[in-house]
Amino acid sequence: MYVARCDMEILHSLDELHRQYEEKFGERFISFNYADFKWAGDKCPGQVYKETLEQALLSDKPYHIVSHRYDTIDH
């Protein structure tokens, strides 16, 4: 998957948050993809992903969704 530069810069800065999430909940945070994390106003998908991760850590609830990553693949 091609990742835009603005998103990649954010995603590369999340190692510590990912580690905290895994320690806290015993599972990895959902992988970044554009099907699940879209532009929100002026926030790029990478920023939305980061804020979702931060919110999960603050709320003490793991983040679970049904990913739409493969919805467009039909074979």
Side-chain angles (χ1 to χ4, degrees):
M1 166 177 63
Y2 176 81
V3 178
R5 179 182 292 259
C6 63
D7 295 320
M8 187 56 70
E9 291 172 356
I10 293 169
L11 297 175
H12 277 287
S13 71
L14 298 179
D15 289 343
E16 180 61 23
L17 289 175
H18 279 134
R19 186 191 60 71
Q20 289 174 18
Y21 184 93
E22 193 165 350
E23 281 182 9
K24 188 172 201 168
F25 300 116
E27 61 187 46
R28 289 183 162 192
F29 190 69
I30 185 174
S31 297
F32 173 79
N33 67 76
Y34 288 105
D36 297 324
F37 300 95
K38 301 180 185 304
W39 281 90
D42 62 345
K43 295 179 186 175
C44 68
Q47 185 64 35
V48 174
Y49 178 83
K50 178 182 179 186
E51 289 176 2
T52 304
L53 173 55
E54 290 171 333
Q55 185 60 40
L57 287 168
L58 290 173
S59 69
D60 291 328
K61 292 177 71 177
Y63 181 75
H64 294 119
I65 64 167
V66 175
S67 178
H68 297 285
R69 171 178 275 186
Y70 301 112
D71 286 359
T72 58
I73 298 174
D74 186 24
H75 61 276

